[in-house]
Every structure is written in C-alpha cells, then in structure tokens.
Amino acid sequence: MTSLSTTAALTELQAINQMLAAVGQIPVTSIDVDANQNPTNPDVAMAMETLKQVSKEVQAEGWDFNKEYNVKITPVLNTTSKDTEIVIPANVLQMDLCRDHWQNRGTDSVRRGGKLYNKTNHTYNWEGDQYVDIMYLFEWDDLPAAIVNYIVNRACAVFAQRVVGSTDLYTMLQGQAEQARTFALEYET
C-alpha cells in the first residue's frame, strides 16, 4: 500500500476540476470572478460553494491537525460593556473551556454572539486567563493532503448529487469518498 504524502495537496482549481469532471463537465483553466469576487461560471460557483461547505463539515469532525487543547486565552476588555470578554476568531469552529478547567471550577461555556459565554454565571465576562480547547477551520492551502483528498472526493459526490441527481453516480462517488476517508483516518493515526 502506498502512503499519502503530507505535502503536495491539490490546489482549489484542481479540486474544482475534479468535481466538474465527476459530472462530465470540461475543466477550467482559471476561476474567473466578477467585481464581487464571485465566479462567473455557474457550475464553477456551485462547485466552489460545495467544496467550501464540505471542507467545513469535514474539519468540524475534529482531526488531530485542527484541534488544540489547553490553550491559554486572555480575555480582552470590551470598552462598551466594561466586561472582559473572549472573542472567538472567525477561523475557529469550536471553542470550549478545557474539561479539567470547567469541571474543577464548576464553570461551563458555550459560543454565543461570536464570544465565549459563561453559562454558569450567565455572562460574557471572564476573570483572568482561561484555558480552552479549540478546533480550527483551516484555509485550503494549509490542509494535509490526505484530508484534501477526502474533502474533494466527498465534495464530488455531493456536487454530482446536486447537479446530475443520478443515484448510481452518487453511490460510486460516495464509495470513493469512503475510501478517501479511510486514508484520512490512516493519516490521522
């Protein structure tokens, strides 16, 4: 069995072309965009949106490459509310107090309004440094090759279902996606 490289992953353009090929469309040499940075080709636009959606779904499963534990976070003063708040960055899929931290202090948290909310004290205010577990959403170029391969194969199946609607094609592509998931899980371990 050959192992997958952790470098030299597909570019987004190559991924889009694989998705287009899966439904019998010709590849594109570039992704032309309008003034609002939206793709001008409707098939390419749908493929890009599907790719982004599937990438987010796959990353939200939580993998070794995108999870960090026990990360120290210092709350920042909100000059309007006068609370010291923990604002969750846009590239974070999930942030929660470390299990050891909240169990020992009797505090629970949840994401609300783009900030970490203290469910125990019913406030956005946090006193002192906090320790959190974080799941990041990475940009395409920062993803490991095995994960990119899984995302592309899964996106091909979803895209084909949306564009063609063929159960046979979807089943075949879904089988390829499951095989790619197996390689991603092998990479994970």
Side-chain angles (χ1 to χ4, degrees):
M1 178 186 298
T2 60
S3 64
L4 293 174
S5 170
T6 57
T7 59
L10 295 174
T11 65
E12 276 187 294
L13 178 61
Q14 290 169 322
I16 297 295
N17 281 330
Q18 279 192 15
M19 294 169 69
L20 292 171
V23 297
Q25 297 290 327
I26 59 170
V28 295
T29 57
S30 65
I31 300 173
D32 298 325
V33 294
D34 62 17
N36 296 320
Q37 298 302 306
N38 296 317
T40 56
N41 180 319
D43 289 333
V44 170
M46 183 183 284
M48 282 185 72
E49 188 58 36
T50 302
L51 188 64
K52 286 179 186 175
Q53 173 197 342
V54 171
S55 179
K56 189 173 186 178
E57 289 170 2
V58 167
Q59 291 187 61
E61 292 178 33
W63 300 82
D64 187 56
F65 77 90
N66 74 332
K67 292 188 296 186
E68 288 188 35
Y69 302 98
N70 236 4
V71 178
K72 181 177 154 182
I73 300 288
T74 302
V76 177
L77 178 65
N78 179 326
T79 56
T80 305
S81 69
K82 304 298 183 207
D83 287 337
T84 51
E85 301 174 337
I86 298 173
V87 177
I88 300 174
N91 70 329
V92 170
L93 292 168
Q94 184 176 329
M95 178 189 284
D96 201 1
L97 291 176
C98 291
R99 173 173 235 144
D100 291 341
H101 181 77
W102 68 262
Q103 283 181 335
N104 292 338
R105 295 179 63 192
T107 304
D108 195 7
S109 65
V110 67
R111 178 185 198 137
R112 284 195 187 152
K115 297 179 265 189
L116 198 62
Y117 180 76
N118 184 327
K119 288 176 60 177
T120 306
N121 297 333
H122 313 288
T123 182
Y124 290 101
N125 193 48
W126 295 93
E127 297 296 326
D129 292 337
Q130 303 296 314
Y131 291 85
V132 296
D133 297 334
I134 300 175
M135 184 184 307
Y136 292 100
L137 176 66
F138 282 103
E139 294 293 325
W140 186 261
D141 293 336
D142 294 327
L143 295 172
I147 301 299
V148 164
N149 189 46
Y150 172 41
I151 291 168
V152 171
N153 278 278
R154 188 164 151 188
C156 282
V158 172
F159 183 65
Q161 183 67 28
R162 290 178 178 170
V163 174
V164 179
S166 166
T167 305
D168 292 338
L169 179 59
Y170 176 78
T171 302
M172 180 195 72
L173 292 171
Q174 188 62 26
Q176 291 175 353
E178 286 304 316
Q179 183 177 15
R181 180 176 174 76
T182 300
F183 288 127
L185 289 170
E186 182 180 313
Y187 165 80
E188 176 79 356
T189 57

